[in-house]
Amino acid sequence: MRGWWALLIAAVGAIILAIVATTPPGPVSAAASVDAFSAERAMADIRAISQAPRPTGSAENAKARDYLVGRLRSMGLTVATTQSQMDAEGAERLAGWSKSSVMPPLTNIVAVLPGRERSLPAVLLMAHHDSVWGSPGAADDAAGVASALETVRAIAAQGQPPRDLMVLLTDGEELGLEGAKTFFASDPRRGHVGVIVNMETRGGGGRTQMFETGADNGAMMRLFGEHVARPVATSLSVFIYKKLPNSTDYTVAKNQGVPGFNFAFIGRPALYHSPMATPERLDQGAVQDMGRQVLDLTRALLTAPALPDKAPDAVFFDAFGLVFVSYAAPIGWVILAFGIAGYAAAVWGRGSASDVLRGAGALLALIVIAGLALYVVNLVSGAGGKTNYYDRLAAIPRLEAQALLVCLAVFVAMRRWLPSRIGTVAGAAVPLLVVAVFAQATAPTAAYPLAVPLMFGGIAVAVERFAGRMVGVVAIVVAAMLGVGYMLGFGWFLLEAVGPKTPMIAALPLAISAVLLLPLIPAIDRRRATLASGVLMAGAVVIALTVLLDPIAPSVAVYSSDH
């Protein structure tokens, strides 16, 4: 019974931490202090510019642009608009939307809030004012534009900043980063930019994450960690985004070596490029989360005596959106050493080699079987045939539930092969430790999701050996709370990002969670385990069938083939 209570406490604690990590703050009212970010104030701008779709060249785009120019001037900025022609790729995409051969010019908005020392490199806030065809774009990217405006208002309310604050609201981002390409290729003001803060979205809610930086970000991330309250940012996201074909306006500047930070939220994914992406459906907490982080960072950059120089990339992550952790990449070896030493000390003289091998083999089998099951059930949901990208985005919440049930089903079914003997527990950690060592050697900024939880797990089982069962159980429960809580939030983010195509990625958080929970799980009757596993898997299949059989979501982009 003690084991079940310990497991229950660890599981409930982990779930609470995961909820904290993935829940955005509440919006701040317009009555807040003038130097604070208020989502309610920002929503006034979002409603003004996202009443209707505003693709490049449209009357709504011109109307929104006029509004933005007026807003910037009302806050004391000098404002200019620049026009240019889009390239052939952008023209082709716009023609596909509008069915017209008339190609309108691109119009960027460039504004400056003068600083006390005009010669210092400026801080540039960047977002795009156009939307895709058929979407009001309340999130993409009215939320980014409004976050920039409210940030400027809060800074201007405190008087003249030490250095120039520039604002670039680009046109044609949805046509292939057209406005950003023009600005960073030929605008004479580009040389004044010292660092960029870009704001984007892919969806309509959730926590805002700082997911991309410029190269050699060590010093920049130190400043970020010291000044941004309750941030969401990981060096793993930065590492992964480098490998993806995705791009934003910041991509253009980053390729020219301009330092920067890129913010976005990706929750409520059905609203991405959707005709339903209206201000009423936008998560105001996500706007608050974005704007608050951007304001904190922008203030810090404006007041820095000198912008941070390039320094080796840092390892960084937020602990449940509450605490920011950052360290130099070589420290990862120390973290791994603690994990390895902890498991080795716990098993030394108490576990047999056969137990260790059995644990390692069972953990590998768990990963393979879970990955295969996740793949097969995803096929049942329709992933194997012709799919509509936006329809699959709309299904993400159900696909996440589907993946969770599959992972639980496989773990329960595999439990009998992973007894809680210390040798098996340590053995189960071995494959993950090997992968962590490889990751630390080849991609140190991406190794922490393995290294840190395994350090907690190793230390906890070592405490259990040397401090006694009672203290040891407490240590293991705490390690499981922290590690599994992080893995739940981490898994949610992974499935939000790539779940419709590659749900198999959830096998990694499952494996780490299994190692951390294993010392707490009592023996389970085989028949009950089989029944529970079957029920869980059946639930996953039922969810998959609802995704397969449902008509196409009404939220899909109007220009997509199946609308």
Side-chain angles (χ1 to χ4, degrees), residues 391-420:
D391 188 49
R392 295 296 287 182
L393 286 181
I396 280 179
R398 284 181 289 171
L399 296 176
E400 289 174 323
Q402 168 188 303
L404 177 62
L405 291 178
V406 169
C407 288
L408 289 173
V410 173
F411 179 64
V412 171
M414 293 284 298
R415 171 67 182 88
R416 67 173 183 247
W417 303 106
L418 278 166
S420 297

PDB file of all heavy atoms in Angstrom, residues 391-420:
ATOM      1  N   ASP A 391      -6.378  20.190 -41.281  1.00  0.00           N
ATOM      2  CA  ASP A 391      -7.298  19.282 -40.605  1.00  0.00           C
ATOM      3  C   ASP A 391      -6.567  18.476 -39.541  1.00  0.00           C
ATOM      4  O   ASP A 391      -7.090  18.237 -38.444  1.00  0.00           O
ATOM      5  CB  ASP A 391      -7.946  18.345 -41.630  1.00  0.00           C
ATOM      6  CG  ASP A 391      -9.046  17.501 -41.021  1.00  0.00           C
ATOM      7  OD1 ASP A 391      -9.919  18.053 -40.336  1.00  0.00           O
ATOM      8  OD2 ASP A 391      -9.022  16.265 -41.228  1.00  0.00           O
ATOM      9  N   ARG A 392      -5.344  18.050 -39.831  1.00  0.00           N
ATOM     10  CA  ARG A 392      -4.549  17.316 -38.843  1.00  0.00           C
ATOM     11  C   ARG A 392      -4.158  18.225 -37.678  1.00  0.00           C
ATOM     12  O   ARG A 392      -4.102  17.780 -36.529  1.00  0.00           O
ATOM     13  CB  ARG A 392      -3.301  16.721 -39.490  1.00  0.00           C
ATOM     14  CG  ARG A 392      -3.555  15.661 -40.543  1.00  0.00           C
ATOM     15  CD  ARG A 392      -4.212  14.433 -39.978  1.00  0.00           C
ATOM     16  NE  ARG A 392      -3.287  13.627 -39.177  1.00  0.00           N
ATOM     17  CZ  ARG A 392      -3.627  12.479 -38.598  1.00  0.00           C
ATOM     18  NH1 ARG A 392      -4.864  12.010 -38.699  1.00  0.00           N
ATOM     19  NH2 ARG A 392      -2.742  11.797 -37.900  1.00  0.00           N
ATOM     20  N   LEU A 393      -3.887  19.494 -37.957  1.00  0.00           N
ATOM     21  CA  LEU A 393      -3.612  20.425 -36.866  1.00  0.00           C
ATOM     22  C   LEU A 393      -4.821  20.520 -35.937  1.00  0.00           C
ATOM     23  O   LEU A 393      -4.676  20.540 -34.710  1.00  0.00           O
ATOM     24  CB  LEU A 393      -3.278  21.809 -37.411  1.00  0.00           C
ATOM     25  CG  LEU A 393      -1.908  22.020 -38.052  1.00  0.00           C
ATOM     26  CD1 LEU A 393      -1.764  23.468 -38.505  1.00  0.00           C
ATOM     27  CD2 LEU A 393      -0.774  21.649 -37.112  1.00  0.00           C
ATOM     28  N   ALA A 394      -6.014  20.576 -36.525  1.00  0.00           N
ATOM     29  CA  ALA A 394      -7.224  20.679 -35.715  1.00  0.00           C
ATOM     30  C   ALA A 394      -7.415  19.445 -34.837  1.00  0.00           C
ATOM     31  O   ALA A 394      -8.038  19.517 -33.766  1.00  0.00           O
ATOM     32  CB  ALA A 394      -8.443  20.868 -36.621  1.00  0.00           C
ATOM     33  N   ALA A 395      -6.866  18.315 -35.269  1.00  0.00           N
ATOM     34  CA  ALA A 395      -7.023  17.061 -34.522  1.00  0.00           C
ATOM     35  C   ALA A 395      -5.974  16.881 -33.434  1.00  0.00           C
ATOM     36  O   ALA A 395      -6.033  15.893 -32.697  1.00  0.00           O
ATOM     37  CB  ALA A 395      -6.964  15.877 -35.494  1.00  0.00           C
ATOM     38  N   ILE A 396      -5.031  17.792 -33.304  1.00  0.00           N
ATOM     39  CA  ILE A 396      -3.923  17.604 -32.373  1.00  0.00           C
ATOM     40  C   ILE A 396      -4.369  17.300 -30.943  1.00  0.00           C
ATOM     41  O   ILE A 396      -3.816  16.389 -30.303  1.00  0.00           O
ATOM     42  CB  ILE A 396      -2.944  18.798 -32.423  1.00  0.00           C
ATOM     43  CG1 ILE A 396      -2.009  18.647 -33.630  1.00  0.00           C
ATOM     44  CG2 ILE A 396      -2.109  18.888 -31.149  1.00  0.00           C
ATOM     45  CD1 ILE A 396      -1.009  19.766 -33.804  1.00  0.00           C
ATOM     46  N   PRO A 397      -5.345  18.003 -30.364  1.00  0.00           N
ATOM     47  CA  PRO A 397      -5.740  17.643 -28.993  1.00  0.00           C
ATOM     48  C   PRO A 397      -6.157  16.180 -28.855  1.00  0.00           C
ATOM     49  O   PRO A 397      -5.802  15.524 -27.875  1.00  0.00           O
ATOM     50  CB  PRO A 397      -6.906  18.593 -28.709  1.00  0.00           C
ATOM     51  CG  PRO A 397      -6.625  19.791 -29.567  1.00  0.00           C
ATOM     52  CD  PRO A 397      -6.052  19.214 -30.828  1.00  0.00           C
ATOM     53  N   ARG A 398      -6.884  15.665 -29.834  1.00  0.00           N
ATOM     54  CA  ARG A 398      -7.258  14.247 -29.781  1.00  0.00           C
ATOM     55  C   ARG A 398      -6.064  13.341 -30.054  1.00  0.00           C
ATOM     56  O   ARG A 398      -5.936  12.274 -29.440  1.00  0.00           O
ATOM     57  CB  ARG A 398      -8.381  13.968 -30.783  1.00  0.00           C
ATOM     58  CG  ARG A 398      -9.743  14.466 -30.324  1.00  0.00           C
ATOM     59  CD  ARG A 398     -10.813  14.150 -31.334  1.00  0.00           C
ATOM     60  NE  ARG A 398     -10.679  14.966 -32.526  1.00  0.00           N
ATOM     61  CZ  ARG A 398     -11.379  14.776 -33.655  1.00  0.00           C
ATOM     62  NH1 ARG A 398     -12.243  13.778 -33.728  1.00  0.00           N
ATOM     63  NH2 ARG A 398     -11.202  15.565 -34.694  1.00  0.00           N
ATOM     64  N   LEU A 399      -5.178  13.763 -30.939  1.00  0.00           N
ATOM     65  CA  LEU A 399      -3.983  12.959 -31.201  1.00  0.00           C
ATOM     66  C   LEU A 399      -3.077  12.898 -29.977  1.00  0.00           C
ATOM     67  O   LEU A 399      -2.406  11.887 -29.745  1.00  0.00           O
ATOM     68  CB  LEU A 399      -3.216  13.537 -32.399  1.00  0.00           C
ATOM     69  CG  LEU A 399      -3.952  13.509 -33.745  1.00  0.00           C
ATOM     70  CD1 LEU A 399      -3.119  14.191 -34.814  1.00  0.00           C
ATOM     71  CD2 LEU A 399      -4.286  12.078 -34.158  1.00  0.00           C
ATOM     72  N   GLU A 400      -3.055  13.970 -29.184  1.00  0.00           N
ATOM     73  CA  GLU A 400      -2.287  13.957 -27.934  1.00  0.00           C
ATOM     74  C   GLU A 400      -2.894  12.967 -26.945  1.00  0.00           C
ATOM     75  O   GLU A 400      -2.166  12.193 -26.302  1.00  0.00           O
ATOM     76  CB  GLU A 400      -2.254  15.355 -27.329  1.00  0.00           C
ATOM     77  CG  GLU A 400      -1.391  16.333 -28.092  1.00  0.00           C
ATOM     78  CD  GLU A 400      -1.484  17.745 -27.548  1.00  0.00           C
ATOM     79  OE1 GLU A 400      -2.574  18.160 -27.129  1.00  0.00           O
ATOM     80  OE2 GLU A 400      -0.452  18.443 -27.559  1.00  0.00           O
ATOM     81  N   ALA A 401      -4.216  12.980 -26.804  1.00  0.00           N
ATOM     82  CA  ALA A 401      -4.879  12.022 -25.921  1.00  0.00           C
ATOM     83  C   ALA A 401      -4.656  10.593 -26.406  1.00  0.00           C
ATOM     84  O   ALA A 401      -4.411   9.677 -25.611  1.00  0.00           O
ATOM     85  CB  ALA A 401      -6.372  12.332 -25.846  1.00  0.00           C
ATOM     86  N   GLN A 402      -4.714  10.419 -27.702  1.00  0.00           N
ATOM     87  CA  GLN A 402      -4.458   9.108 -28.312  1.00  0.00           C
ATOM     88  C   GLN A 402      -3.057   8.618 -27.974  1.00  0.00           C
ATOM     89  O   GLN A 402      -2.863   7.459 -27.564  1.00  0.00           O
ATOM     90  CB  GLN A 402      -4.636   9.254 -29.819  1.00  0.00           C
ATOM     91  CG  GLN A 402      -4.157   8.110 -30.685  1.00  0.00           C
ATOM     92  CD  GLN A 402      -4.221   8.493 -32.153  1.00  0.00           C
ATOM     93  OE1 GLN A 402      -5.280   8.861 -32.653  1.00  0.00           O
ATOM     94  NE2 GLN A 402      -3.085   8.432 -32.842  1.00  0.00           N
ATOM     95  N   ALA A 403      -2.066   9.475 -28.123  1.00  0.00           N
ATOM     96  CA  ALA A 403      -0.683   9.100 -27.837  1.00  0.00           C
ATOM     97  C   ALA A 403      -0.488   8.782 -26.358  1.00  0.00           C
ATOM     98  O   ALA A 403       0.233   7.834 -26.006  1.00  0.00           O
ATOM     99  CB  ALA A 403       0.266  10.214 -28.272  1.00  0.00           C
ATOM    100  N   LEU A 404      -1.120   9.570 -25.470  1.00  0.00           N
ATOM    101  CA  LEU A 404      -1.000   9.306 -24.032  1.00  0.00           C
ATOM    102  C   LEU A 404      -1.553   7.928 -23.686  1.00  0.00           C
ATOM    103  O   LEU A 404      -0.926   7.174 -22.929  1.00  0.00           O
ATOM    104  CB  LEU A 404      -1.743  10.388 -23.250  1.00  0.00           C
ATOM    105  CG  LEU A 404      -1.767  10.218 -21.725  1.00  0.00           C
ATOM    106  CD1 LEU A 404      -0.351  10.262 -21.155  1.00  0.00           C
ATOM    107  CD2 LEU A 404      -2.632  11.296 -21.075  1.00  0.00           C
ATOM    108  N   LEU A 405      -2.711   7.574 -24.231  1.00  0.00           N
ATOM    109  CA  LEU A 405      -3.297   6.265 -23.940  1.00  0.00           C
ATOM    110  C   LEU A 405      -2.427   5.135 -24.487  1.00  0.00           C
ATOM    111  O   LEU A 405      -2.268   4.094 -23.839  1.00  0.00           O
ATOM    112  CB  LEU A 405      -4.708   6.183 -24.527  1.00  0.00           C
ATOM    113  CG  LEU A 405      -5.766   7.076 -23.867  1.00  0.00           C
ATOM    114  CD1 LEU A 405      -7.105   6.928 -24.577  1.00  0.00           C
ATOM    115  CD2 LEU A 405      -5.907   6.740 -22.390  1.00  0.00           C
ATOM    116  N   VAL A 406      -1.868   5.317 -25.671  1.00  0.00           N
ATOM    117  CA  VAL A 406      -0.974   4.290 -26.230  1.00  0.00           C
ATOM    118  C   VAL A 406       0.237   4.093 -25.325  1.00  0.00           C
ATOM    119  O   VAL A 406       0.628   2.957 -25.019  1.00  0.00           O
ATOM    120  CB  VAL A 406      -0.534   4.673 -27.655  1.00  0.00           C
ATOM    121  CG1 VAL A 406       0.599   3.757 -28.135  1.00  0.00           C
ATOM    122  CG2 VAL A 406      -1.704   4.586 -28.620  1.00  0.00           C
ATOM    123  N   CYS A 407       0.840   5.185 -24.891  1.00  0.00           N
ATOM    124  CA  CYS A 407       2.022   5.090 -24.019  1.00  0.00           C
ATOM    125  C   CYS A 407       1.690   4.386 -22.709  1.00  0.00           C
ATOM    126  O   CYS A 407       2.443   3.509 -22.253  1.00  0.00           O
ATOM    127  CB  CYS A 407       2.587   6.481 -23.750  1.00  0.00           C
ATOM    128  SG  CYS A 407       3.412   7.249 -25.168  1.00  0.00           S
ATOM    129  N   LEU A 408       0.562   4.740 -22.103  1.00  0.00           N
ATOM    130  CA  LEU A 408       0.161   4.081 -20.861  1.00  0.00           C
ATOM    131  C   LEU A 408      -0.117   2.604 -21.092  1.00  0.00           C
ATOM    132  O   LEU A 408       0.260   1.748 -20.279  1.00  0.00           O
ATOM    133  CB  LEU A 408      -1.080   4.771 -20.289  1.00  0.00           C
ATOM    134  CG  LEU A 408      -0.873   6.164 -19.700  1.00  0.00           C
ATOM    135  CD1 LEU A 408      -2.210   6.798 -19.341  1.00  0.00           C
ATOM    136  CD2 LEU A 408       0.040   6.108 -18.480  1.00  0.00           C
ATOM    137  N   ALA A 409      -0.773   2.281 -22.203  1.00  0.00           N
ATOM    138  CA  ALA A 409      -1.094   0.880 -22.502  1.00  0.00           C
ATOM    139  C   ALA A 409       0.168   0.043 -22.646  1.00  0.00           C
ATOM    140  O   ALA A 409       0.264  -1.061 -22.096  1.00  0.00           O
ATOM    141  CB  ALA A 409      -1.927   0.798 -23.776  1.00  0.00           C
ATOM    142  N   VAL A 410       1.139   0.567 -23.369  1.00  0.00           N
ATOM    143  CA  VAL A 410       2.383  -0.185 -23.576  1.00  0.00           C
ATOM    144  C   VAL A 410       3.145  -0.326 -22.268  1.00  0.00           C
ATOM    145  O   VAL A 410       3.671  -1.407 -21.949  1.00  0.00           O
ATOM    146  CB  VAL A 410       3.249   0.498 -24.652  1.00  0.00           C
ATOM    147  CG1 VAL A 410       4.619  -0.171 -24.752  1.00  0.00           C
ATOM    148  CG2 VAL A 410       2.545   0.461 -25.998  1.00  0.00           C
ATOM    149  N   PHE A 411       3.204   0.728 -21.475  1.00  0.00           N
ATOM    150  CA  PHE A 411       3.935   0.657 -20.212  1.00  0.00           C
ATOM    151  C   PHE A 411       3.300  -0.351 -19.260  1.00  0.00           C
ATOM    152  O   PHE A 411       3.994  -1.151 -18.628  1.00  0.00           O
ATOM    153  CB  PHE A 411       3.997   2.027 -19.555  1.00  0.00           C
ATOM    154  CG  PHE A 411       4.726   2.020 -18.240  1.00  0.00           C
ATOM    155  CD1 PHE A 411       6.074   1.708 -18.182  1.00  0.00           C
ATOM    156  CD2 PHE A 411       4.072   2.309 -17.058  1.00  0.00           C
ATOM    157  CE1 PHE A 411       6.762   1.682 -16.978  1.00  0.00           C
ATOM    158  CE2 PHE A 411       4.744   2.288 -15.851  1.00  0.00           C
ATOM    159  CZ  PHE A 411       6.088   1.972 -15.803  1.00  0.00           C
ATOM    160  N   VAL A 412       1.977  -0.338 -19.144  1.00  0.00           N
ATOM    161  CA  VAL A 412       1.296  -1.293 -18.262  1.00  0.00           C
ATOM    162  C   VAL A 412       1.532  -2.722 -18.742  1.00  0.00           C
ATOM    163  O   VAL A 412       1.793  -3.632 -17.943  1.00  0.00           O
ATOM    164  CB  VAL A 412      -0.212  -0.976 -18.193  1.00  0.00           C
ATOM    165  CG1 VAL A 412      -0.968  -2.093 -17.468  1.00  0.00           C
ATOM    166  CG2 VAL A 412      -0.437   0.356 -17.482  1.00  0.00           C
ATOM    167  N   ALA A 413       1.459  -2.916 -20.047  1.00  0.00           N
ATOM    168  CA  ALA A 413       1.676  -4.259 -20.586  1.00  0.00           C
ATOM    169  C   ALA A 413       3.106  -4.741 -20.363  1.00  0.00           C
ATOM    170  O   ALA A 413       3.345  -5.931 -20.146  1.00  0.00           O
ATOM    171  CB  ALA A 413       1.348  -4.283 -22.078  1.00  0.00           C
ATOM    172  N   MET A 414       4.070  -3.810 -20.405  1.00  0.00           N
ATOM    173  CA  MET A 414       5.478  -4.172 -20.262  1.00  0.00           C
ATOM    174  C   MET A 414       5.927  -4.232 -18.807  1.00  0.00           C
ATOM    175  O   MET A 414       7.058  -4.622 -18.521  1.00  0.00           O
ATOM    176  CB  MET A 414       6.342  -3.137 -20.997  1.00  0.00           C
ATOM    177  CG  MET A 414       6.198  -3.123 -22.507  1.00  0.00           C
ATOM    178  SD  MET A 414       7.041  -4.496 -23.292  1.00  0.00           S
ATOM    179  CE  MET A 414       8.737  -4.191 -22.829  1.00  0.00           C
ATOM    180  N   ARG A 415       5.062  -3.843 -17.881  1.00  0.00           N
ATOM    181  CA  ARG A 415       5.473  -3.735 -16.475  1.00  0.00           C
ATOM    182  C   ARG A 415       6.086  -5.022 -15.936  1.00  0.00           C
ATOM    183  O   ARG A 415       7.043  -4.996 -15.152  1.00  0.00           O
ATOM    184  CB  ARG A 415       4.259  -3.319 -15.632  1.00  0.00           C
ATOM    185  CG  ARG A 415       4.486  -3.377 -14.119  1.00  0.00           C
ATOM    186  CD  ARG A 415       5.509  -2.332 -13.665  1.00  0.00           C
ATOM    187  NE  ARG A 415       5.754  -2.405 -12.245  1.00  0.00           N
ATOM    188  CZ  ARG A 415       6.664  -3.188 -11.663  1.00  0.00           C
ATOM    189  NH1 ARG A 415       7.420  -3.969 -12.420  1.00  0.00           N
ATOM    190  NH2 ARG A 415       6.830  -3.185 -10.351  1.00  0.00           N
ATOM    191  N   ARG A 416       5.538  -6.176 -16.312  1.00  0.00           N
ATOM    192  CA  ARG A 416       6.046  -7.425 -15.748  1.00  0.00           C
ATOM    193  C   ARG A 416       7.485  -7.705 -16.164  1.00  0.00           C
ATOM    194  O   ARG A 416       8.185  -8.484 -15.523  1.00  0.00           O
ATOM    195  CB  ARG A 416       5.145  -8.589 -16.148  1.00  0.00           C
ATOM    196  CG  ARG A 416       5.150  -8.923 -17.639  1.00  0.00           C
ATOM    197  CD  ARG A 416       4.347 -10.190 -17.869  1.00  0.00           C
ATOM    198  NE  ARG A 416       4.363 -10.623 -19.253  1.00  0.00           N
ATOM    199  CZ  ARG A 416       3.309 -10.620 -20.040  1.00  0.00           C
ATOM    200  NH1 ARG A 416       2.151 -10.201 -19.592  1.00  0.00           N
ATOM    201  NH2 ARG A 416       3.404 -11.047 -21.279  1.00  0.00           N
ATOM    202  N   TRP A 417       7.931  -7.078 -17.266  1.00  0.00           N
ATOM    203  CA  TRP A 417       9.319  -7.271 -17.715  1.00  0.00           C
ATOM    204  C   TRP A 417      10.262  -6.272 -17.053  1.00  0.00           C
ATOM    205  O   TRP A 417      11.463  -6.318 -17.271  1.00  0.00           O
ATOM    206  CB  TRP A 417       9.405  -7.126 -19.235  1.00  0.00           C
ATOM    207  CG  TRP A 417       8.505  -8.070 -19.963  1.00  0.00           C
ATOM    208  CD1 TRP A 417       7.336  -7.763 -20.596  1.00  0.00           C
ATOM    209  CD2 TRP A 417       8.669  -9.479 -20.099  1.00  0.00           C
ATOM    210  NE1 TRP A 417       6.766  -8.885 -21.131  1.00  0.00           N
ATOM    211  CE2 TRP A 417       7.578  -9.966 -20.846  1.00  0.00           C
ATOM    212  CE3 TRP A 417       9.639 -10.398 -19.669  1.00  0.00           C
ATOM    213  CZ2 TRP A 417       7.412 -11.300 -21.170  1.00  0.00           C
ATOM    214  CZ3 TRP A 417       9.482 -11.735 -19.993  1.00  0.00           C
ATOM    215  CH2 TRP A 417       8.389 -12.180 -20.732  1.00  0.00           C
ATOM    216  N   LEU A 418       9.687  -5.364 -16.269  1.00  0.00           N
ATOM    217  CA  LEU A 418      10.496  -4.345 -15.602  1.00  0.00           C
ATOM    218  C   LEU A 418      10.180  -4.329 -14.107  1.00  0.00           C
ATOM    219  O   LEU A 418       9.555  -3.395 -13.604  1.00  0.00           O
ATOM    220  CB  LEU A 418      10.202  -2.959 -16.196  1.00  0.00           C
ATOM    221  CG  LEU A 418      10.922  -2.586 -17.489  1.00  0.00           C
ATOM    222  CD1 LEU A 418      10.275  -1.358 -18.109  1.00  0.00           C
ATOM    223  CD2 LEU A 418      12.401  -2.331 -17.240  1.00  0.00           C
ATOM    224  N   PRO A 419      10.597  -5.341 -13.380  1.00  0.00           N
ATOM    225  CA  PRO A 419      10.356  -5.332 -11.934  1.00  0.00           C
ATOM    226  C   PRO A 419      11.135  -4.204 -11.275  1.00  0.00           C
ATOM    227  O   PRO A 419      12.081  -3.650 -11.841  1.00  0.00           O
ATOM    228  CB  PRO A 419      10.867  -6.701 -11.485  1.00  0.00           C
ATOM    229  CG  PRO A 419      11.834  -7.120 -12.536  1.00  0.00           C
ATOM    230  CD  PRO A 419      11.334  -6.545 -13.819  1.00  0.00           C
ATOM    231  N   SER A 420      10.734  -3.889 -10.046  1.00  0.00           N
ATOM    232  CA  SER A 420      11.314  -2.735  -9.353  1.00  0.00           C
ATOM    233  C   SER A 420      12.603  -3.051  -8.608  1.00  0.00           C
ATOM    234  O   SER A 420      13.032  -2.270  -7.761  1.00  0.00           O
ATOM    235  CB  SER A 420      10.277  -2.151  -8.381  1.00  0.00           C
ATOM    236  OG  SER A 420       9.163  -1.677  -9.092  1.00  0.00           O
TER     237      SER A 420
END
